[in-house]
Amino acid sequence: MDFNDSPDEAAYRQQVRDWLDANAPKARVAGDPEGGDGMAASKAWQATKAAAGYACITWPKEWGGQGGSPVQNVIFSQEEAKYPIPGNPFQIGLGMCVPTVMTFADEATKQRFVGPALRGEEIWSQLFSEPSGGSDVAGARTKAERAPDGSGDWLISGQKVWTTGAQFSDFGIVITRTSPDKPKHKGLTMFWVDMKDPGIEVKPIHQMSGGSGFNEVFFTDVRVKDSQRLGAVDEGWKVSLVTLMNERLAVGGQTGAGWQQFMEAARNTPGLDGGSALKDGALREKLADWYVQAEGLKHTRNRTMTALSRGQTPGPESSIGKIISAVQMQELGNTAIEMLDQYGIIDDPELASLNGAFHFSLMFGPGLRIAGGTDEILRNIIAERVLGLPGDIRVDKDVPFKDMPTGR
Amino acid sequence: MNFDFSDDQKFLKGEARKFLEANSPLGRARGVLENPAKGYDADLWKAVAGQGWLGAAIPEEFGGLGLGHLELCVIAEELGRAVAPIPFASTVYFLAEAIMLAGSDEQKADLLPKIAAGEIIGAIATSEGPGATTAATLQATVTDGKLTGVKIPVTDGDIADVALVLAKEGGKPGLFLVDLAGEGVAREAVKTLDPTRDAAKLVFKDAPARRVGAAGAGMELVEQVFDRAAVLIAFEQCGGSDRCLEMAKDYALERYAFGRVIASYQAIKHKLADMYVKNELARSNAYYGAWALNTNAPELPVAASAARIAASEAYWFSSKENIQTHGGIGFTWEMDCHLFYRRSRQLSLVAGAPRVWKERLVSHLERRNAAAA
Ligand SMILES: Cc1cc2nc3c(=O)[nH]c(=O)nc-3n(C[C@H](O)[C@H](O)[C@H](O)COP(=O)(O)OP(=O)(O)OC[C@H]3O[C@@H](n4cnc5c(N)ncnc54)[C@H](O)[C@@H]3O)c2cc1C
């Protein structure tokens, strides 16, 4: 056991530091990656990293990676986080969609898409969730049918929802229903689509935290070539599992204000006895709990890295990360706001403590507890795939999809 | 970076588990539970000494195996899993660690070989009554090498040969070695939540006391010893907590209600998933603590606090929810669930309550921040 860098790792860290020192942005560009300057800055930073081989460190060299180890990837992220880097709208594409493309597409398709995605030239989104079901991904109703003209093309119609980044995406992977007569898992097919194709309409959704990070996406007779299919017809569920497995690794890092920011804010806020709120025993206990959780998660991820570097594949145990950090984000935000007492209601970045970071945590926490699998679904995953407990009773398992009971 | 034990250490852990399982661990805990006057399981203690575990981290020159603390951690985990009814923590994590840390050459030469050989049992005596003991509340006093005062509760106080006692000398706290078989010592067993571990009230009246470490350094020394013990105890807690999850899982997969195994109900599945999450967070914190202990890293106090807090929380949660998962049978004397429930409380308090550690952790973080600023 050694929590220090090995000589090789130390050398890599130094190399990364030198490179970041020479190339990383020195000041944060205002604005979300959702548009304008923020997006331009994100793309520029991604291109810079890609040129130096730092965009997808663990990918093979032939695809523009370094063939590096997961530990090197962690080292890079740790060092990168020390700089005011712009937002990262590439995560869903590079973390989930492109690996799926790399696993299932033909050679020409891979050659066409991997490079531009890696360099941040093209953005991808994941079109899985639908109004009728998010947790139940296999319940997708958006249908794909062969075009009647005999060309072998497909026509996709239906609606996706909560699609992060669809408003600025170039491409997406979409799960569709191709055989409604078969049970639900057996009649799905995956495609990649060009988001600018005729028949695709993206409508931003106003989310409770104020932004519009996700969208409704409508498909009306969207024509796609059979070569855009990922995996076999009716085998889309298997394809989606590859995407979802990568999702668990991609989602779950710490977001928003953490224990450090809370501690700083508590120090500067008057407490009940007129001194600093950081002297308040109840707050100190919570602070300790959050610290212990954050440290536990950090080292759990490090243990996963050790397992990965020994050739093991990432297991469902990575689900721990999001369960803990999303709930903590919500609780920490709320405790900070209660600490501010009456002033806590003010949600104006000009006036609120830490430019409103705690208010952001409070208002985005609920979304993080849902995105990428709800708390309940992640607990099911741990119970079933880690602990080996029985799956939930599936009343819809052998029923043809078209006969399945539906609610609203 | 390498966040795992080595193959050799894992092998040792496997051997320790086999050894303890062959020696009917829960039956032994129950044997002491049902006859608390025994104090501990002397046969198991001898067998453990025979394995060399008592001296795992003691240097070879003092009769130990001269392995590191990581080896002690994997043994601790297995002892925790087995709810071993022996004074291992008192003797090894507290007494041996304190002597290795601050003992004089003579104290080392005298005590360490005896500890390694299983010839003496140790105890640490800091508490004097309800609430945490601080420099301000400390009553026991040493004058001219003679100790007077009362310590309660002292884990293993009734069976120990030597105790480390926190007491004031010249108005300042110091740490002292007292021979419990010697003059001026009266002991009386006290009942505790976990009768599988011995405990006593010790009354000292002019008992001869030898100082360990520098004069006036008692509080700091106790903190250092507690930091080290906290990491090792965290491994015992992880072992116990994991065992609770296994018990709950096994039972849930067997027990039927409403025509299904109860493990197929989400309320139970999610409860077990929560145990797993807490156990893994505790384990990860414990690993970091183990590394800090083994390398004597400056972050040991912070790492030890995190390990202790996480492990106390995990063990409490899984020991109580294990009973709940078992339903009525879980509440019976015959089921082993309460052995873990009791031990979880014992281990959470024996080196100071989580509340105290949370306070210490935050104080350390404050200092670290102030230093960085
Ligand atoms: C910020 C954000 C970004 C997102 N980005 C994307 C994206 O880019 N692409 C995409 O495809 N989707 C995205 N989603 C959608 C997300 O994956 C779904 O919202 C999520 O999976 C939950 O599905 P749902 O909203 O349909 O809720 P439902 O599935 O209807 O769940 C409602 C409630 O029922 C519970 N529930 C459901 N099934 C079970 C069960 N079996 N056992 C116990 N409880 C259950 C849930 O836990 C939840 O509490 C995003 C969501 C958010 C909030």
Side-chain angles (χ1 to χ4, degrees):
Chain A
M1 194 176 295
D2 191 351
F3 284 70
N4 289 320
D5 288 347
S6 68
D8 281 355
E9 288 157 0
Y12 186 77
R13 192 182 291 281
Q14 192 54 49
Q15 174 196 325
V16 165
R17 278 188 184 153
D18 293 344
W19 184 82
L20 285 169
D21 205 34
N23 295 283
K26 305 288 182 279
R28 200 176 299 281
V29 177
D32 291 333
E34 287 169 26
D37 294 347
M39 179 59 94
S42 296
K43 289 194 164 183
W45 176 230
Q46 185 70 15
T48 307
K49 286 198 287 184
Y54 288 122
C56 292
I57 290 166
T58 57
W59 287 14
K61 286 209 169 103
E62 53 168 319
W63 293 116
Q66 286 181 347
S69 69
V71 175
Q72 290 180 335
N73 198 27
V74 170
I75 291 176
F76 186 86
S77 309
Q78 286 171 345
E79 296 299 325
E80 186 191 28
K82 295 177 185 164
Y83 289 84
I85 46 163
N88 182 353
F90 313 104
Q91 225 161 341
I92 291 178
L94 296 176
M96 300 178 236
C97 304
V98 178
T100 309
V101 168
M102 283 163 84
T103 311
F104 292 99
D106 57 43
E107 199 52 34
T109 308
K110 288 195 256 186
Q111 292 295 349
R112 160 66 188 82
F113 288 116
V114 177
L118 183 100
R119 295 190 292 273
E121 292 158 11
E122 291 171 350
I123 297 182
W124 285 70
S125 53
Q126 179 197 11
L127 299 141
F128 282 17
S129 299
E130 299 192 8
S132 60
S135 303
D136 187 8
V137 179
R141 296 183 197 173
T142 294
K143 65 178 180 194
E145 290 171 324
R146 293 278 185 185
D149 59 13
S151 60
D153 293 354
W154 298 81
L155 295 173
I156 301 178
S157 291
Q159 184 194 346
K160 296 289 172 180
V161 75
W162 322 128
T163 317
T164 301
Q167 72 275 41
F168 48 70
S169 284
D170 301 286
F171 300 95
I173 57 173
V174 55
I175 189 144
T176 65
R177 170 101 19 219
T178 38
S179 293
D181 296 332
K182 296 184 180 174
K184 66 176 188 177
H185 290 98
K186 301 196 170 129
L188 296 165
T189 304
M190 190 80 81
F191 296 92
W192 64 262
V193 291
D194 183 334
M195 297 293 285
K196 308 287 180 310
D197 271 345
I200 297 185
E201 191 191 354
V202 175
K203 285 193 185 163
I205 301 173
H206 197 185
Q207 64 202 28
M208 66 169 267
S209 50
S212 297
F214 53 29
N215 306 267
E216 293 179 288
V217 182
F218 297 90
F219 288 77
T220 314
D221 287 337
V222 177
R223 185 178 273 267
V224 298
K225 298 240 168 297
D226 192 48
S227 60
Q228 288 174 246
R229 184 160 45 77
L230 297 169
V233 175
D234 289 348
E235 298 274 322
W237 180 243
K238 282 190 198 148
V239 182
S240 74
L241 289 181
V242 169
T243 321
L244 295 173
M245 194 186 78
N246 283 300
E247 176 164 23
R248 263 182 255 119
L249 272 187
V251 189
Q254 197 202 334
T255 341
W259 65 268
Q260 296 96 328
Q261 286 80 9
F262 183 89
M263 191 164 155
E264 196 49 42
R267 193 202 317 285
N268 298 322
T269 304
L272 295 179
D273 64 356
S276 146
L278 187 52
K279 294 284 159 249
D280 178 341
L283 293 184
R284 289 172 88 79
E285 284 207 28
K286 289 193 178 188
L287 182 57
D289 286 335
W290 295 326
Y291 174 84
V292 168
Q293 286 177 345
E295 282 287 294
L297 277 188
K298 184 168 103 191
H299 299 311
T300 300
R301 264 185 227 115
N302 292 337
R303 284 169 55 206
T304 306
M305 290 305 142
T306 298
L308 287 176
S309 64
R310 292 180 181 164
Q312 294 157 20
T313 44
E317 54 277 1
S318 345
S319 299
I320 297 173
K322 203 175 76 84
I323 293 184
I324 294 292
S325 56
V327 172
Q328 183 185 102
M329 180 179 187
Q330 195 173 22
E331 285 303 306
L332 189 147
N334 188 48
T335 307
I337 282 157
E338 289 189 358
M339 173 176 80
L340 298 170
D341 210 273
Q342 299 185 33
Y343 195 84
I345 60 173
I346 298 178
D347 181 14
D348 175 343
E350 304 269 307
L351 297 172
S353 157
L354 256 154
N355 304 328
F358 297 121
H359 296 79
F360 173 80
S361 295
L362 178 78
M363 299 309 288
F364 197 71
L368 196 61
R369 288 184 59 191
I370 295 165
T374 62
D375 288 0
E376 291 75 19
I377 294 297
L378 295 182
R379 283 189 170 83
N380 276 354
I381 289 175
I382 290 174
E384 293 169 19
R385 298 204 216 135
V386 181
L387 301 177
L389 304 182
D392 278 6
I393 290 186
R394 297 246 178 93
V395 292
D396 55 3
K397 199 165 174 220
D398 301 315
V399 184
F401 180 75
K402 63 177 173 35
D403 300 333
M404 253 169 48
T406 54
R408 277 197 288 143
Chain B
M1 278 182 250
N2 170 10
F3 303 89
D4 200 0
F5 286 101
S6 70
D7 287 344
D8 282 351
Q9 287 152 359
K10 286 183 190 164
F11 179 78
L12 175 64
K13 182 168 147 69
E15 292 299 299
R17 178 170 306 187
K18 272 190 238 157
F19 174 82
L20 288 168
E21 278 173 359
N23 282 281
S24 157
L26 294 185
R28 288 182 183 267
R30 194 167 277 282
V32 178
L33 177 75
E34 289 174 358
N35 184 7
K38 271 174 84 171
Y40 71 114
D41 188 318
D43 294 337
L44 184 63
W45 181 245
K46 278 203 200 86
V48 160
Q51 294 293 308
W53 296 354
L54 298 171
I58 293 176
E60 281 171 290
E61 54 171 316
F62 297 117
L65 297 182
L67 302 167
H69 282 90
L70 295 179
E71 283 74 11
L72 200 50
C73 288
V74 299
I75 292 170
E77 184 175 341
E78 293 307 318
L79 290 170
R81 231 184 112 80
V83 201
I86 50 176
F88 197 88
S90 303
T91 309
V92 178
Y93 315 157
F94 290 104
L95 180 62
E97 287 299 322
I99 298 301
M100 289 197 283
L101 197 66
S104 64
D105 289 346
E106 187 204 326
Q107 288 166 343
K108 287 182 187 163
D110 172 25
L111 293 170
L112 295 178
K114 291 182 192 155
I115 292 173
E119 287 163 10
I120 56 167
I121 291 172
I124 186 160
T126 56
S127 176
E128 300 187 337
T133 310
T134 64
T137 65
L138 185 61
Q139 297 284 326
T141 307
V142 170
T143 315
D144 297 332
K146 300 272 165 91
L147 168 71
T148 297
V150 177
K151 291 287 171 180
I152 177 168
V154 180
T155 294
D156 298 314
D158 211 31
I159 55 174
D161 303 288
V162 191
L164 280 168
V165 184
L166 183 67
K168 275 188 180 159
E169 186 187 34
K172 292 200 178 132
L175 196 57
F176 298 87
L177 272 172
V178 181
D179 180 355
L180 296 182
E183 57 187 284
V185 182
R187 29 183 167 179
E188 191 184 314
V190 294
K191 267 179 81 174
T192 68
L193 284 169
D194 180 10
T196 67
R197 302 290 287 103
D198 175 76
K201 172 183 178 183
L202 300 184
V203 181
F204 302 101
K205 197 149 186 261
D206 292 331
R210 291 177 283 163
R211 186 158 41 72
V212 178
M219 234 56 214
E220 294 75 22
L221 192 50
V222 165
E223 284 205 357
Q224 280 178 292
V225 174
F226 273 23
D227 280 341
R228 305 172 84 76
V231 173
L232 296 159
I233 292 171
F235 276 89
E236 286 202 8
Q237 292 170 308
C238 283
S241 197
D242 271 357
R243 188 73 194 91
C244 287
L245 171 56
E246 282 170 31
M247 285 170 75
K249 185 176 93 176
D250 291 348
Y251 188 75
L253 285 168
E254 264 167 29
R255 173 77 177 173
Y256 277 73
F258 303 99
R260 298 156 59 175
V261 285
I262 59 168
S264 67
Y265 290 104
Q266 253 189 15
I268 298 288
K269 283 163 71 174
H270 288 192
K271 194 191 286 301
L272 268 53
D274 285 338
M275 287 187 199
Y276 173 80
V277 169
K278 286 181 194 288
N279 285 357
E280 288 307 299
L281 289 188
R283 178 169 294 282
S284 298
N285 277 301
Y287 277 25
Y288 189 60
W291 170 79
L293 170 62
N294 198 46
T295 56
N296 229 335
E299 54 263 55
L300 176 61
V302 169
S305 306
R308 177 151 183 81
I309 294 164
S312 296
E313 164 66 18
Y315 201 1
W316 165 237
F317 184 81
S318 53
S319 69
K320 76 186 161 93
E321 298 307 328
N322 181 32
I323 299 176
Q324 179 69 14
T325 303
H326 277 77
I329 190 96
F331 188 61
T332 63
W333 184 263
E334 282 67 32
M335 278 304 286
D336 290 327
C337 300
H338 65 120
L339 298 178
F340 293 87
Y341 190 71
R342 293 172 189 284
R343 185 59 66 83
S344 94
R345 300 301 76 218
Q346 206 270 348
L347 293 177
S348 266
L349 299 175
V350 72
R355 198 171 64 86
V356 175
W357 284 87
K358 287 182 184 179
E359 175 50 40
R360 276 190 67 200
L361 171 61
V362 175
S363 311
H364 275 290
L365 295 176
E366 278 184 292
R367 265 177 262 158
R368 199 161 85 177
N369 271 17

